[in-house]
Amino acid sequence: MAAYPDWGVTTAPNDEVPIAHSLTGFATAFDFLYVSLSTSRKDKYLKKIRAVTKEMYEFSKIRGWGKQLLQNHQATNILAILTGALVTGVHDDPETMIWKQVAVNCMEKTMFLLNHVVDGSLDEGVAYGSYTAKSITQYVFLAKRHFSIDNTENNWLKQHFWFYYATLLPGFQRTIGIADSNYNWFYGPESQLVFLDSFVLKNGTGNWLAQQIRKHRPKDGPMGESSSHRLTTLHTEYIWYNAQLTPQHPYGFGTSKMHIFSNWGVVTYGAGMPNGQGNTFVSFKSGKLGGRAIYDIVHFKPYSWIDGWKSFNPGHEQPDQNSFTFAPNGQVFVSEALYGPKYSYLNNVLLFAPSPTSQCNEPWEGQLGECEKWLRWMDDEVGETAGEVIAASHHKDMMFVSGEAVSAYSSAMKLKSVYRALLLLNSQTLLVVDHIERQKDSPVNLVSAFFHNLDIDFKYVPYRFIDRYNGALMDVWDAHYKMFWFDHHGKSPVARIQEAEQAAEFKTRWTQFVNITFQMDSTVTRMAYIFHGPYVKLSNCRFIDDSKQGLRLAVNINNTEKIVSIVTNYQDISARLSYLGFGGYAQVEDIHHVTRFGLGTDVVLKQNTVNTTTFNFGFTVNLIAGVILCVAIGFLASQRKFYSCFSKFFRCALITVIILWITELLFVSNNCNQPLCGVKWIRAPTDTDAKQSYSQFFYLPTVVITSLPGSGAEILKHLFYNSSDFIYIRIPTEHLDIPETEFEFDSFVDACEWTKSDVKSGHFKMIQGWFHSIVHNTKLHLQNIQLNEVSGSRLSQRTAVVKDKRKKIRRKEPLLEHKSRGKRSLDRDAEYIRELRRHLSAHQSARVVVSLSSGSWTLKLPFIQEVIGPSTKALYVVRDPRAWIYLMLYNSKPSLYSLRNIPQHLSMAFKEEDNNEKCNSNSRYAPEYESLRRLLSGSESNAVSLLAHLWLANTAASLRINQDLSAMNYLLIKFEDIVQFPQETAEAIHVFLGIPLAPARLNEIIFATSTNLFNLPYEGDISPTNINIWKQNMPRKDIQVIEDICWSVMNQLGYSKFTN
């Protein structure tokens, strides 16, 4: 190779990637063989490595890959420059030092951006992702070895294992083919997996998965390794492998589970399973261009060194928003078309016609960016492509996932919604529903769906279901995999079954697809498709409801009818409750169970069987009573022929009948709950019936968040902020605050407990009215806030009033600086109110989330619950007292203890006043605070002891006071659980709220807790490591004091001792 004048490839003259591969391989081999080479060969090879490295460095200044981050070309080429620079720079050559600096700077930007990607994914897909990850893992190793730069705590690396495991189809041979992909990986992934195990995970799961892939990888055929890739990572796999890490499968292996890639916009179910009947795989894609993190960075511009989409290259992505795959029993039935030109019809998505902006396949148009070899991400509107997974949840062998893809289509088509829902009814049956909503003046009136399969041995053939619906069938060794379709009018058009070949890398790839075209006669069109395997019997399927809010289908599977309800007006939480009876997106009912996706499955209570004995008895009694009455009436008609007292006889007859009826009533009332026992009453169910049957269980939540200040409750904002379901309101701000005319709130804490009886007795009426207004008349409350400009004199007056009113001690500062700071604060708060107004205008059914920053409210939740009503959902956040006290005393200088002047706040809490509403030792006073009051009255208290008693008093009092609240209205959350187990905790919170957790909210809470990129007030970066920093930095004697004082409540909350 040293003799070759040029390492480029003639078929790709403008591509430096082949040169980079050669440089990395040649320089690595030179390093390995260095001691075995003669001096002349060393000089010759070193000269060549230096020349090619310099060439690559010069190319980095002019080629796109020199500035396009998170793309396989850049990672490959920059790593080659770094490798060449390391090999040639052993003598501190100034030029090689520049190469190293440039390469490290570029790769560190890559690692920084990857830390934003919370799910460990790469937007280019698994195949190209393995390409990029090969270079990233090698860089992390070299950076730590040569520059002492440790990236092994990078959150993306911690999650990257799932990018390989949760994308594997059953059998460990094939992966999902999202974006430009092969059937599986380009490079590795055994090398990447053993790296993750040795340096990041250290639990044996990486070694286990690498072992499974080696064991099951085909030796030949389309899923075998290519000859050019086979041995390229063997040396790193050998270097990094740690034999002391015993291969260990991940938790839950062997059970089909759902995995959400919240950044990528991909959901998989049944991944990483062995081949077998019932081991079914489903995937769904609806994501933002470049992935959520990169899309948001491009649009919100937080970093000056990012130049919009010019800093990235999502050209390997496909027009595939709302695409899916289905492999029942591990047999691929619907698959991606893999690597190829960017045409929408090569993906399992929808196309529309006639479109005024069609650029290929006229008059049809698919998703934005199509029609060329690479995705045209710099074209108009393409950069705004933001598919979204709306809902994703599973229960046992059922799964529901849905996505919105309207932003992926040209605005000229005037579409309002392109919503697709997938519902896995069992391991054999998948229901897919498309809901399309368009504007009245939309030019399109046809929609076409495509479903692909790459297996040339198993071709689609036409099929009809119960002589009613058209379909297609795939025969796999006499096992029939079937699909059929129909729209909400019951129409089932004949499909076109086609084949196509397209260019893929340096070869062609064959695909077959079913193409179904529906007429769109109105502004709303709905289509349903059923896909099922051979081990299930379907006997009927039909729409039974087609309303504005959603749809219902009846599907008969194995002689059991299932009612599927899906909300299509998914952004309106009130519409979801009205249609389903709870705040979710879909449910399935049959005679035995009802599954509310996101909440769980409940058993349907059986109706009491008809008691025929009761019916016979009642009928007999009524017959006897009727005979007696008839006889009496007969006597009345012929009374002149008898010489008996008629009135006495008739009186006896009536008494006998009444006694008989009373006896019947008593007997029947204990044995029958129907108007007429034994009679079958039939009535068509209505939407109102469904809603009323669940209304006693589900309310739309009104969320109240409270905690002791410094406990980290602010992190819950990420579950609610910018959500169509909620409007997050923090209290207090300059324009939003609790009225203080009746009770003077302390901004930190007080010792006053309020109960339900205070509401019933009429105490604190103004505060009750404020809560009622902010919760039940939110829009009017926000509109009534005056946001006029504040003059300098008014600002000074307002500041003085607030200062005196809240009794805060401020540090002295120049008057002009104080006024300027106050004006900036008011401006920010005014914009915050405007933002709340805009959000509520866009989402009028959004539920209120009130975050109360004062610790005073932890003792007043029963009062709040009584004011707001049964919809109250109180979230009380507690924190380890050692971490909390460390934050107060040691985390910053000056300490938060001094900045907030906590001793004065505490002294004010126990100050006796003449105001009757103020609590004292005789009224509304939490007795748990008594030990703190005695400590304050003494002269020997220190800060640690004082804060420990405060945490103990507030937490113990809160636990006692709130224990009477229903589990339906009150949830205690440990801050440590939010940070260490964000997904599990977020899911538990949303089950408590009665609303499924949206993948977008999941991404936000994981980002806040795992990336070191989110700061809490006064605290700095949040991560599972940082929240326990007190263990390293806090004096041991202080820890001992805290544990001695707080242990009784710490133990109750599940905290363990750090000291013996």
Side-chain angles (χ1 to χ4, degrees), residues 509-719:
R509 177 168 282 122
W510 176 90
T511 182
Q512 61 172 329
F513 55 87
V514 177
N515 173 209
I516 313 130
T517 300
F518 292 89
Q519 184 78 32
M520 296 193 293
D521 298 322
S522 61
T523 57
V524 174
T525 302
R526 288 164 174 164
M527 301 95 75
Y529 322 83
I530 296 282
F531 305 81
H532 67 91
Y535 309 113
V536 68
K537 177 186 176 183
L538 268 73
S539 55
N540 196 11
C541 187
R542 68 191 190 281
F543 278 92
I544 58 174
D545 184 47
D546 178 37
S547 71
K548 178 181 178 181
Q549 310 299 351
L551 58 91
R552 286 193 175 91
L553 295 104
V555 185
N556 197 299
I557 303 175
N558 295 332
N559 299 319
T560 298
E561 186 174 69
K562 294 181 180 293
I563 306 300
V564 177
S565 303
I566 299 173
V567 173
T568 52
N569 187 12
Y570 57 86
Q571 288 190 316
D572 189 331
I573 189 173
S574 295
R576 303 202 309 259
L577 177 73
S578 173
Y579 197 72
L580 298 179
F582 78 111
Y585 301 88
Q587 74 176 19
V588 175
E589 305 166 80
D590 60 30
I591 192 171
H592 302 295
H593 301 91
V594 54
T595 298
R596 302 179 184 91
F597 286 96
L599 298 188
T601 299
D602 294 327
V603 176
V604 175
L605 298 178
K606 293 182 178 180
Q607 298 293 328
N608 291 335
T609 57
V610 176
N611 192 326
T612 56
T613 303
T614 302
F615 170 71
N616 293 335
F617 175 80
F619 180 79
T620 302
V621 169
N622 285 318
L623 182 63
I624 295 174
V627 170
I628 293 174
L629 285 176
C630 289
V631 171
I633 293 171
F635 266 102
L636 176 62
S638 56
Q639 56 179 317
R640 295 179 181 177
K641 296 181 181 180
F642 297 92
Y643 297 95
S644 62
C645 181
F646 170 76
S647 61
K648 184 181 295 185
F649 174 79
F650 200 73
R651 191 181 303 117
C652 292
L654 287 177
I655 292 173
T656 302
V657 169
I658 290 172
I659 292 173
L660 286 172
W661 278 347
I662 291 175
T663 303
E664 177 194 12
L665 180 64
L666 292 174
F667 181 81
V668 172
S669 64
N670 289 322
N671 293 275
C672 178
N673 60 1
Q674 298 181 13
L676 283 180
C677 284
V679 179
K680 185 175 181 180
W681 292 79
I682 302 175
R683 181 174 62 92
T686 65
D687 291 348
T688 305
D689 296 333
K691 181 175 66 176
Q692 289 178 347
S693 64
Y694 299 131
S695 61
Q696 58 181 317
F697 302 110
F698 295 104
Y699 295 94
L700 291 181
T702 301
V703 185
V704 178
I705 303 173
T706 185
S707 70
L708 196 60
S711 296
E714 296 86 353
I715 206 166
L716 292 180
K717 170 185 177 180
H718 294 272
L719 289 178

Side-chain angles (χ1 to χ4, degrees), residues 989-1021:
I989 290 172
H990 276 74
V991 169
F992 167 71
L993 299 179
I995 297 174
L997 174 64
R1001 298 300 100 210
L1002 174 63
N1003 191 86
E1004 292 299 312
I1005 195 68
I1006 294 177
F1007 179 87
T1009 58
S1010 306
T1011 62
N1012 288 310
L1013 295 169
F1014 170 74
N1015 298 334
L1016 280 173
Y1018 309 107
E1019 187 158 2
D1021 300 344

